[in-house]
Amino acid sequence: IFDGDYPFEVLSFYMEDEYQVTRDLTLTLGWRWDRYAMAKSSANPRGALIYKPRPSSTFKLLYGEAFRAPNMYELHYEAPDEAKGNPRLDPEEIHTAEAVWEQRLSQRLWGLVSLYNYRMEGLLEQRLDPADALLQFHNTDEVRARGMELECRGFLWRGATGYVSYVFQRAEETKKELSNSPGQ
């Protein structure tokens, strides 16, 4: 049972603008600001450069930053002989960069190739505290993930769609492989 009086308040603001640089080139810029009652404020930019050389091909360069404040469960949940809260948690932050190529392969088939690089700071992970053997959320060190995604999407019969994708990635926490993070 989780019983506590923890007032919660959040204020957010987001803006985005799109510039048509040329007929084939679009620049989209965005910015988001969040203020949480129980965490620091955060301002996060986003951007996309989209090039469409032909109606059947699109190239995208994407960059973004994001922020996630710890939730009530991560901050305050306690259960006898099982878990304890951690009100000193910091928010998670992520910086992403991605290059994407989308290609129409036929009238009903699309292909996609994506290369990405993520850098995360303060990722929340539940660990066993050796002092009392209770589970508690902690912020991790820096986490990096790099990978590639391949996808094929098809428009089948009578409006049905389907896709198949394959992802290869490597996620590391300060030069060691990240737990619970599949490579494929």
Side-chain angles (χ1 to χ4, degrees):
I1 297 173
F2 182 62
D3 185 17
D5 184 15
Y6 303 104
F8 182 78
E9 183 179 290
V10 64
L11 176 65
S12 297
F13 177 75
Y14 181 79
M15 66 181 185
E16 179 179 284
D17 202 0
E18 185 175 293
Y19 304 98
Q20 196 66 46
V21 181
T22 67
R23 200 176 107 240
D24 302 331
L25 186 64
T26 305
L27 175 65
T28 304
L29 298 172
W31 181 76
R32 181 183 173 115
W33 177 80
D34 296 282
R35 187 189 77 194
Y36 287 80
M38 301 167 62
K40 67 180 182 177
S41 296
S42 177
N44 297 292
R46 298 193 175 142
L49 190 61
I50 302 167
Y51 177 57
K52 218 168 168 45
R54 294 184 298 279
S56 62
S57 299
T58 305
F59 296 94
K60 300 177 185 179
L61 294 176
L62 310 168
Y63 176 79
E65 295 179 11
F67 164 95
R68 186 183 80 82
N71 62 41
M72 293 297 171
Y73 175 78
E74 294 158 339
L75 289 166
H76 301 292
Y77 179 74
E78 298 200 5
D81 301 323
E82 183 183 327
K84 62 182 179 180
N86 187 354
R88 295 178 307 278
L89 292 173
D90 290 324
E92 296 177 330
E93 296 178 19
I94 186 169
H95 306 265
T96 66
E98 188 171 2
V100 180
W101 173 30
E102 294 178 351
Q103 179 68 48
R104 179 183 292 271
L105 303 170
S106 73
Q107 195 65 1
R108 297 176 155 272
L109 201 59
W110 281 86
L112 175 140
V113 176
S114 171
L115 301 172
Y116 60 87
N117 182 39
Y118 300 161
R119 183 174 50 93
M120 296 159 272
E121 298 166 1
L123 193 63
L124 294 172
E125 183 177 73
Q126 198 171 35
R127 298 180 183 160
L128 198 61
D129 186 342
D132 54 16
L134 295 177
L135 291 170
Q136 184 181 44
F137 282 93
H138 292 272
N139 292 100
T140 63
D141 292 331
E142 183 179 86
V143 172
R144 288 189 174 270
R146 293 176 183 89
M148 178 176 65
E149 178 180 5
L150 304 170
E151 181 177 302
C152 189
R153 190 176 328 135
F155 299 95
L156 308 172
W157 65 100
R158 296 184 181 167
T161 61
Y163 71 94
V164 61
S165 66
Y166 176 78
V167 177
F168 173 77
Q169 73 171 5
R170 177 145 176 97
E172 300 173 325
E173 178 185 357
T174 317
K175 301 298 180 189
K176 66 177 181 182
E177 196 165 331
L178 188 64
S179 66
N180 200 24
S181 180
Q184 299 183 52

